[in-house]
Amino acid sequence: MSTRLGELVERLGGQLVGNPDIEVSSIAPLDVANASNITFLSNPKFRTKAAQTAAAALILSPADDEVIGASYPGARIVTANPYAYFARAAQYFEQRKRVRPAPGTHATASVDPTAQIASTAIIGPHVTIEADVVIADGVQIDAGCVIGRGARIGANTRLYPRVVFLDACEIGENGIIYPGAVIGSDGFGLANDGGVWVKIPQTGRVMIGNDVQIGANTTVDRGALVDTVIGDGVKLDNQIQIGHNCRVGDHTAMAGCVGVGGSSIIGKHCTLGGAVGVAGHLTITDNVHITAASNVSRSINEPGHYAGSYPLAKHEDWQKTAAVTRNLDSLRERVRELEKTIKTLTKEEPS
Amino acid sequence: MSTRLGELVERLGGQLVGNPDIEVSSIAPLDVANASNITFLSNPKFRTKAAQTAAAALILSPADDEVIGASYPGARIVTANPYAYFARAAQYFEQRKRVRPAPGTHATASVDPTAQIASTAIIGPHVTIEADVVIADGVQIDAGCVIGRGARIGANTRLYPRVVFLDACEIGENGIIYPGAVIGSDGFGLANDGGVWVKIPQTGRVMIGNDVQIGANTTVDRGALVDTVIGDGVKLDNQIQIGHNCRVGDHTAMAGCVGVGGSSIIGKHCTLGGAVGVAGHLTITDNVHITAASNVSRSINEPGHYAGSYPLAKHEDWQKTAAVTRNLDSLRERVRELEKTIKTLTKEEPS
Amino acid sequence: MSTRLGELVERLGGQLVGNPDIEVSSIAPLDVANASNITFLSNPKFRTKAAQTAAAALILSPADDEVIGASYPGARIVTANPYAYFARAAQYFEQRKRVRPAPGTHATASVDPTAQIASTAIIGPHVTIEADVVIADGVQIDAGCVIGRGARIGANTRLYPRVVFLDACEIGENGIIYPGAVIGSDGFGLANDGGVWVKIPQTGRVMIGNDVQIGANTTVDRGALVDTVIGDGVKLDNQIQIGHNCRVGDHTAMAGCVGVGGSSIIGKHCTLGGAVGVAGHLTITDNVHITAASNVSRSINEPGHYAGSYPLAKHEDWQKTAAVTRNLDSLRERVRELEKTIKTLTKEEPS
């Protein structure tokens, strides 16, 4: 199932330098690529390697092309962002190979008669679809998923096996939800009454935009009185927890194990590294980037890179630094005392 | 489906000031409430807003009522804890709206003939119920749940879709377990034998009290030789891990992503913020409150508020503070040296 | 279902001192054991308790046997590693009690006709098995599991309920995967193109060795271009996230809530405490042990014990130390200034 370079460029753009009739069948890294592969150069430090690759074709930037274009014997696709081009080319090859079940509802699925399911949708084994669900064209719902009453799944979105997507929640087009994710579980809303917790019903929904990706076993809670909102193009990795009433801005990405407390608002184009924690009721502006394992306990109003995690050390060294950390306040006091004494001493000195 | 204020007060208590025949149909926040809503004031700083709300009725405390009661034209319900009253009123409205499937076992469920299932229970699609399970009155087991051999589910408890509740574990009455939670998986018990891990069978159970709430994708491991115990009224948020042999005291609440190591005992009425970690084999006394993202590595014998997390900073500032943190022990040494030198100097000074 | 001590020793080794015809039916801790139990002493500080146990037999080390052997009236099994012996004995008792379903495929399972399933395998209710799956002898696949196209499950491996094991992934023999785990979901591979994320297809697999244990709701992502590899004897607790392309060395164990970023390589015989975070693209050598709640942001080339977490304190004390931590760089500057001044002062002093 090979593809002509000419066809690839027609679909994905870029400037082809070389024979459009050369055929490639997949993508491979610079050093393992062979004559049936296309490869890519996204980091200038690999220019020498790229010039020597055995691939039939090379995706590279104009700047890299100027330096090594002449010395590479194969075909070149010149494009501003070779890494993104690689991603799109890989998608193209992958979609051609993908085995997609035939449209229709598996015999073992349990579907409420009031659900509206597009004829082009695929509903897998042991799926449960409750009343008034709306499933658009090209949707794929894999084995064991449960779609709650009145939920809506937009065109070409795929739910991997065992996703739970609860009542009245919605996701837009071209989304992907990975196995075990739970969308629309109740938020953690409780009132304390003399030491006993009283549950606050969670009557909001989860509203998810287009082109959103939600990782395996990630959970996004429904809102209490308002909706939890996940913007267009948001990418959430595995094991993430998003609390009720949160709003995550368009094209923000979060790595695995992030936790976001309830009612926090995160801007657009942010990135949160793995296991970052965000307390509840905070606002993080657009274009904020937070290093893995940091804890955000105040709002962030200025774009930029933030971090905060205790440095790793040999266990015995950490024990010493932790002991000092525990008494940092007194260490500061001692420095203050020293400063005062020195001030007195230096004043006493004759000039 | 509106309700007379008189009926609400009859059910939930509180002192009604105003016409008991006024009808309300739902709860809304102060600023969006209209004439069909009841609203609530739980924080005195919103008194002005409350006095101006368009809601038909206002829930408030005696203290707030003294200040704004006269200036608010609608009906008032005066109660000691308006926030808890709001929670109960919201529950009341929500229960009236809730669509509950008819009692009975769905045709696609797989139920062992030895299981005892109350006639008022609801067993959803694709549920698996193994031998000797006991399911009490009013229980709702949603799609795709798996209930292991000999487990017991108390009256009016609900298991959301895809909960796994393993062999011999028990939960009391009025509980809620959210989607994807796993109760009674084996604890992480291993003996090391010359570098190779040997599994220790986990023969205890998970015993859960009444009125317990367990969040989506949370895991509670069964005990090794004894049981893991979750007390009455405990509320666990999503993505929490409770290790084997733990005991969590009554009415303790934990926010998302908390991890509790094996054999730790947590007291009553504690709160653990998001992503708090508790090491194994610790004891935490009653009424301990731990701020999000803190790590508990020693037992806590005194009630109170605890915290411990590295402060967030601009990335370049954090790099500097982290570098100093890494060498805190030597910084303390330098301060000690200075103190010694100063002591010598000041002694040498003529009085 | 009791067992002669003679038979136990024949199966598990150790030197029996006492009557081989004594029968025991289970294991119990030192202080609760009775005449039908065998017990064990793995920590010398419990020698006195061990000498007084009511158990019919005691597992202990040669060193402990020398001290208390004579004073304990029951039978003894002397072995180099009593804790590992306890684990194996407990396994023996547990396997005899275990209720195992009959081999065969449950009527409600959905199995592709091209799947190859050994006649001794057990396939539970509501399981989905896709095309070209290979399931070896003695495998048990519990209710609600989903096995993707072309996956392979080695002999005697058990998948607990609701495991998702995706396309082309493989696990060896004698493995255990606990409920809700997801193996082979896509790695978090994205290219940024002008602020918009473009998905990079994940075409690698997850390859898991023999004797591996994977905890409840743990996720292991498939590789991007290469495979994610989990070595023999690896033990992963619950709620763990392993990113794409990672390699975890043989006999490494990770406690709950650990997160490992993509493309990191972890050596053999390592232990990671609960909630440890490992950034992506790092290498950790063999025999590294990391304390719970630490964050690994650089590679570790030297075996040993490592740690790094902020110490817990009373909330008001933490506020003070955190404030100093935030300004550690300026504190160091002040110490430097003091050192300079002192140097000047002491130089000025007459010798």
Side-chain angles (χ1 to χ4, degrees):
Chain A
M1 213 168 353
S2 60
T3 299
R4 290 173 56 253
L5 288 180
E7 192 189 334
L8 206 62
V9 171
E10 220 165 272
R11 285 175 178 272
L12 306 179
Q15 188 198 341
L16 176 63
V17 186
N19 183 353
D21 291 329
I22 291 174
E23 304 233 332
V24 288
S25 59
S26 64
I27 295 226
L30 285 172
D31 43 3
V32 302
N34 61 39
S36 71
N37 297 139
I38 183 167
T39 189
F40 66 101
L41 172 64
S42 61
N43 185 335
K45 79 175 174 186
F46 298 124
R47 278 174 179 165
T48 310
K49 216 187 237 182
Q52 294 161 359
T53 181
L58 173 66
I59 305 162
L60 78 178
S61 70
D64 288 335
D65 192 55
E66 255 182 55
V67 181
I68 64 154
S71 57
Y72 170 67
R76 286 122 59 202
I77 296 176
V78 183
T79 178
N81 188 337
Y83 194 57
Y85 200 100
F86 146 66
R88 292 202 175 92
Q91 282 182 15
Y92 173 74
F93 289 117
E94 198 255 348
Q95 277 159 15
R96 297 184 64 185
K97 280 181 195 160
R98 192 184 292 167
V99 182
R100 215 175 134 88
T105 298
H106 195 274
T108 59
S110 167
V111 180
D112 189 279
T114 63
Q116 300 168 44
I117 300 177
S119 62
T120 54
I122 302 163
I123 310 295
H126 312 300
V127 165
T128 300
I129 296 182
E130 297 188 355
D132 302 321
V133 164
V134 179
I135 292 187
D137 272 313
V139 166
Q140 180 173 347
I141 309 282
D142 288 343
C145 286
V146 179
I147 316 290
R149 180 179 290 267
R152 287 167 169 265
I153 314 287
N156 301 314
T157 285
R158 179 176 180 185
L159 272 56
Y160 274 74
R162 294 210 293 91
V163 166
V164 175
F165 195 93
L166 288 164
D167 310 25
C169 297
E170 302 189 8
I171 182 169
E173 304 188 350
N174 303 313
I176 305 177
I177 309 185
Y178 286 103
V182 177
I183 309 302
S185 190
D186 278 354
F188 200 56
L190 301 161
N192 197 295
D193 192 20
V196 171
W197 298 103
V198 184
K199 179 173 170 57
I200 299 170
Q202 306 289 299
T203 59
R205 301 167 297 173
V206 179
M207 302 298 282
I208 303 172
N210 296 322
D211 304 305
V212 170
Q213 181 178 323
I214 294 179
N217 284 348
T218 280
T219 48
V220 182
D221 281 351
R222 65 195 311 118
L225 291 170
V226 299
D227 294 331
T228 302
V229 179
I230 308 290
D232 289 339
V234 168
K235 310 294 178 183
L236 304 181
D237 197 1
N238 300 349
Q239 306 269 9
I240 288 173
Q241 153 68 3
I242 306 286
H244 58 178
N245 311 334
C246 283
R247 303 178 74 91
V248 179
D250 297 349
H251 309 296
T252 279
M254 304 187 191
C257 307
V258 163
V260 181
S263 301
S264 278
I265 297 171
I266 296 177
K268 297 177 182 178
H269 300 291
C270 295
T271 57
L272 275 62
V276 161
V278 178
H281 299 276
L282 302 185
T283 300
I284 295 178
T285 192
D286 298 345
N287 297 301
V288 166
H289 307 284
I290 303 176
T291 301
S294 304
N295 178 42
V296 184
S297 56
R298 308 183 190 185
S299 290
I300 299 179
N301 306 313
E302 205 185 323
H305 288 76
Y306 295 82
S309 68
Y310 208 95
L312 192 77
K314 285 267 187 181
H315 191 271
E316 57 273 21
D317 295 335
W318 169 77
Q319 281 180 305
K320 289 179 200 160
T321 60
V324 188
T325 302
R326 217 172 261 122
N327 295 294
L328 264 183
D329 190 41
S330 76
L331 187 68
R332 181 175 56 178
E333 271 315 302
R334 286 159 66 182
V335 171
R336 277 186 187 152
E337 283 306 312
L338 284 168
E339 286 170 340
K340 272 190 223 163
T341 313
I342 289 281
K343 208 169 177 184
T344 320
L345 282 177
T346 49
K347 267 185 189 157
E348 283 171 1
E349 294 291 312
S351 64
Chain B
M1 214 167 357
S2 60
T3 299
R4 290 176 53 253
L5 288 180
E7 192 190 333
L8 206 62
V9 171
E10 221 167 88
R11 286 174 177 273
L12 306 180
Q15 188 197 341
L16 177 64
V17 186
N19 183 352
D21 291 328
I22 291 173
E23 305 233 333
V24 289
S25 59
S26 62
I27 295 227
L30 287 171
D31 43 2
V32 303
N34 61 40
S36 71
N37 297 138
I38 183 167
T39 188
F40 65 101
L41 171 64
S42 60
N43 186 336
K45 77 176 177 187
F46 298 124
R47 279 173 178 166
T48 311
K49 216 186 238 183
Q52 294 161 359
T53 181
L58 172 66
I59 306 162
L60 78 178
S61 70
D64 288 335
D65 192 55
E66 256 182 56
V67 182
I68 64 156
S71 56
Y72 169 66
R76 286 122 59 202
I77 297 176
V78 183
T79 179
N81 188 337
Y83 195 56
Y85 200 100
F86 146 66
R88 292 202 176 89
Q91 281 181 17
Y92 173 75
F93 289 117
E94 198 256 348
Q95 277 158 17
R96 297 184 65 187
K97 281 181 196 161
R98 191 184 293 169
V99 182
R100 215 174 132 89
T105 298
H106 194 274
T108 59
S110 166
V111 180
D112 188 280
T114 63
Q116 300 170 45
I117 300 177
S119 62
T120 54
I122 302 161
I123 311 295
H126 311 301
V127 166
T128 299
I129 296 183
E130 298 188 353
D132 302 321
V133 163
V134 179
I135 292 187
D137 272 313
V139 166
Q140 180 172 347
I141 309 281
D142 288 342
C145 287
V146 179
I147 317 290
R149 180 179 289 267
R152 286 166 170 268
I153 313 288
N156 301 314
T157 285
R158 178 177 180 185
L159 273 56
Y160 274 73
R162 294 209 295 90
V163 167
V164 176
F165 196 93
L166 287 165
D167 309 27
C169 296
E170 302 188 8
I171 182 168
E173 304 187 351
N174 303 314
I176 305 176
I177 309 185
Y178 286 103
V182 177
I183 310 301
S185 190
D186 278 354
F188 200 56
L190 300 162
N192 197 295
D193 193 19
V196 172
W197 298 104
V198 184
K199 178 174 170 56
I200 298 170
Q202 306 290 300
T203 59
R205 300 167 297 174
V206 179
M207 302 299 283
I208 303 173
N210 297 322
D211 303 305
V212 170
Q213 180 177 322
I214 294 179
N217 284 348
T218 280
T219 49
V220 183
D221 281 350
R222 66 195 311 120
L225 291 170
V226 299
D227 293 331
T228 302
V229 179
I230 307 291
D232 289 340
V234 168
K235 310 294 178 184
L236 304 181
D237 196 359
N238 299 351
Q239 306 269 11
I240 287 173
Q241 153 69 2
I242 306 287
H244 58 178
N245 312 331
C246 282
R247 303 177 74 91
V248 179
D250 297 349
H251 309 297
T252 279
M254 304 187 191
C257 308
V258 163
V260 182
S263 300
S264 277
I265 296 171
I266 296 177
K268 297 177 181 177
H269 300 291
C270 295
T271 56
L272 275 62
V276 161
V278 178
H281 299 275
L282 302 185
T283 300
I284 296 177
T285 192
D286 298 345
N287 296 301
V288 166
H289 306 284
I290 303 176
T291 301
S294 305
N295 178 42
V296 184
S297 56
R298 306 181 190 187
S299 289
I300 300 178
N301 305 312
E302 205 184 324
H305 287 76
Y306 295 81
S309 68
Y310 208 97
L312 193 76
K314 285 267 187 181
H315 191 271
E316 56 274 21
D317 295 335
W318 168 77
Q319 281 181 305
K320 288 179 201 160
T321 59
V324 187
T325 302
R326 218 172 261 123
N327 295 294
L328 264 183
D329 190 42
S330 76
L331 187 68
R332 181 174 56 178
E333 271 316 301
R334 286 159 66 183
V335 171
R336 277 186 189 153
E337 283 305 313
L338 285 167
E339 286 170 339
K340 273 191 223 164
T341 313
I342 289 282
K343 209 170 178 185
T344 320
L345 282 177
T346 49
K347 268 186 191 157
E348 282 171 2
E349 294 291 313
S351 64
Chain C
M1 216 172 344
S2 61
T3 299
R4 292 174 54 250
L5 287 181
E7 193 190 334
L8 205 62
V9 171
E10 220 167 89
R11 286 175 178 272
L12 305 181
Q15 189 197 340
L16 176 64
V17 186
N19 182 352
D21 290 329
I22 291 172
E23 304 233 334
V24 289
S25 60
S26 62
I27 295 224
L30 286 171
D31 45 1
V32 303
N34 61 40
S36 71
N37 296 139
I38 183 167
T39 189
F40 66 101
L41 171 64
S42 61
N43 186 336
K45 77 175 176 187
F46 298 125
R47 278 173 179 166
T48 310
K49 213 186 239 182
Q52 295 161 359
T53 180
L58 173 66
I59 305 162
L60 78 179
S61 70
D64 287 336
D65 192 54
E66 255 182 55
V67 181
I68 64 156
S71 57
Y72 169 67
R76 288 121 59 203
I77 295 176
V78 183
T79 179
N81 188 337
Y83 194 57
Y85 199 99
F86 146 67
R88 291 202 176 90
Q91 281 181 16
Y92 173 74
F93 289 117
E94 198 256 347
Q95 277 158 16
R96 297 183 64 185
K97 280 181 196 159
R98 189 184 296 167
V99 182
R100 214 174 133 89
T105 297
H106 194 275
T108 59
S110 167
V111 180
D112 188 280
T114 63
Q116 300 169 46
I117 299 178
S119 61
T120 54
I122 302 162
I123 310 297
H126 312 301
V127 166
T128 300
I129 296 182
E130 298 188 352
D132 303 321
V133 164
V134 179
I135 292 188
D137 272 312
V139 165
Q140 180 172 347
I141 309 282
D142 287 343
C145 286
V146 179
I147 317 290
R149 179 179 290 267
R152 287 165 168 266
I153 313 288
N156 301 313
T157 284
R158 179 175 180 185
L159 272 55
Y160 274 74
R162 294 211 295 92
V163 167
V164 175
F165 195 93
L166 288 164
D167 309 27
C169 296
E170 302 188 8
I171 181 170
E173 303 187 351
N174 302 312
I176 305 176
I177 308 184
Y178 285 103
V182 177
I183 311 300
S185 190
D186 279 353
F188 200 55
L190 300 161
N192 197 294
D193 193 20
V196 171
W197 298 102
V198 183
K199 178 173 171 56
I200 299 170
Q202 306 289 299
T203 58
R205 302 167 297 173
V206 179
M207 302 299 283
I208 303 173
N210 297 320
D211 303 305
V212 169
Q213 181 177 323
I214 293 178
N217 284 348
T218 281
T219 48
V220 183
D221 281 350
R222 64 194 313 117
L225 291 170
V226 299
D227 293 331
T228 302
V229 179
I230 307 291
D232 289 340
V234 167
K235 310 294 180 185
L236 304 182
D237 196 359
N238 300 351
Q239 305 268 11
I240 288 173
Q241 153 68 2
I242 307 285
H244 58 177
N245 312 332
C246 283
R247 305 177 73 91
V248 179
D250 297 349
H251 309 296
T252 279
M254 303 186 192
C257 307
V258 163
V260 182
S263 301
S264 278
I265 296 170
I266 296 178
K268 298 177 180 177
H269 300 290
C270 294
T271 57
L272 275 62
V276 161
V278 178
H281 298 277
L282 302 185
T283 300
I284 295 178
T285 193
D286 298 345
N287 297 299
V288 166
H289 307 284
I290 302 175
T291 301
S294 306
N295 178 41
V296 184
S297 56
R298 306 183 191 185
S299 290
I300 300 180
N301 305 312
E302 206 184 324
H305 288 76
Y306 294 82
S309 68
Y310 208 96
L312 193 77
K314 286 267 188 181
H315 192 272
E316 56 274 24
D317 295 335
W318 168 76
Q319 282 180 306
K320 288 178 201 161
T321 60
V324 188
T325 302
R326 218 172 261 122
N327 295 294
L328 265 183
D329 190 40
S330 76
L331 187 68
R332 181 174 57 178
E333 271 315 302
R334 286 158 66 182
V335 172
R336 277 186 187 152
E337 283 305 313
L338 284 167
E339 286 170 339
K340 273 191 224 163
T341 312
I342 289 283
K343 210 170 175 184
T344 319
L345 283 177
T346 48
K347 267 187 191 156
E348 282 171 2
E349 294 291 312
S351 64

